[in-house]
Amino acid sequence: RSYNNSEEFRFLILDHHLEKKGVKYGIEVYEKIKNRFPKVTLKMFGMKRSAFVPDYAEYYENPTRAELVNLYNESDIFLFPSIEEGWGLTVIEAMASGCAIVGTNTGCLLEIGKDKCNCMKSNPKDVDSMVENVIEIMENDKLFFKLIQQGKETAKNLDWNKSLAQFEKVISFLNI
């Protein structure tokens, strides 16, 4: 895949009606970046368009698997602004597709996220920190490509067979 000039980065955000997904914070991050870098673009996707989605965002409602893969592949930065999350599969999908992840320290990023290695992390609701993280990526190609490469490696290591083997070890240890 090809990556845009940093002045023209393409952003992707998952849309959701639940406030705990932090969509409004992701939009706020994007708008602050857009003020500084006017050529950036935003795509969003979700099951059904929520009230959080601005008119300027290119929106994909209930995308097919193929459309979702294309969205990830066409994006440079995936914003994960969740306040509270169980896991956050979209982060793994974005990593596997070569997006740089800028997110909050919740869900899967608590377990697999390594700040400035495979993602850039901030505290939930900390828009200014997320903006700083995005700008740092946009102005540092070396960091941008490191996040992409390490993200791909992280996603590659999440394998059902490995997980099953670890689970079997736990069960045998517990003598169940």
Side-chain angles (χ1 to χ4, degrees):
R1 64 175 279 185
S2 65
Y3 294 92
N4 274 340
N5 169 310
S6 64
E7 296 275 325
E8 299 173 0
F9 270 19
R10 300 161 295 194
F11 287 78
L12 183 64
I13 302 175
L14 168 70
D15 175 42
H16 202 286
H17 69 280
L18 292 176
E19 285 192 37
K20 73 179 186 174
K21 296 292 186 176
V23 176
K24 70 178 182 179
Y25 300 106
I27 299 297
E28 191 175 338
V29 169
Y30 174 78
E31 288 176 348
K32 287 184 176 198
I33 294 299
K34 179 90 172 155
N35 283 335
R36 182 162 172 183
F37 302 95
K39 293 182 181 179
V40 298
T41 58
L42 175 64
K43 291 183 181 180
M44 296 180 71
F45 68 95
M47 295 306 290
K48 185 172 182 186
R49 189 180 188 119
S50 75
F52 298 116
V53 180
D55 291 338
Y56 59 77
E58 189 174 328
Y59 190 79
Y60 296 81
E61 186 170 306
N62 197 18
T64 66
R65 190 74 190 140
E67 289 171 327
L68 192 53
V69 168
N70 284 337
L71 285 171
Y72 287 125
N73 285 335
E74 294 170 354
S75 301
D76 300 305
I77 296 177
F78 182 76
L79 292 178
F80 177 68
S82 284
I83 298 166
E84 180 184 332
E85 192 73 48
W87 175 251
L89 185 59
T90 55
V91 169
I92 307 307
E93 293 171 341
M95 283 180 169
S97 298
C99 294
I101 308 299
V102 175
T104 54
N105 200 24
T106 188
C108 66
L109 287 185
L110 287 170
E111 295 183 42
I112 63 164
K114 295 181 179 107
D115 194 39
K116 297 187 191 252
C117 181
N118 64 359
C119 68
M120 300 292 279
K121 293 198 291 188
S122 300
N123 289 322
K125 300 182 182 181
D126 191 345
V127 170
D128 291 336
S129 176
M130 288 183 74
V131 168
E132 289 171 15
N133 284 340
V134 169
I135 291 171
E136 188 171 354
I137 291 171
M138 292 177 74
E139 294 180 342
N140 183 339
D141 285 347
K142 187 176 179 181
L143 176 60
F144 174 66
F145 289 110
K146 176 185 176 183
L147 295 173
I148 290 168
Q149 185 57 41
Q150 292 299 313
K152 285 181 181 180
E153 289 299 316
T154 299
K156 191 186 305 184
N157 287 324
L158 296 173
D159 177 273
W160 280 110
N161 293 325
K162 289 179 184 179
S163 296
L164 178 59
Q166 289 175 338
F167 182 65
E168 286 174 338
K169 282 182 186 178
V170 170
I171 288 176
S172 67
F173 177 76
L174 296 173
N175 248 350
I176 296 177

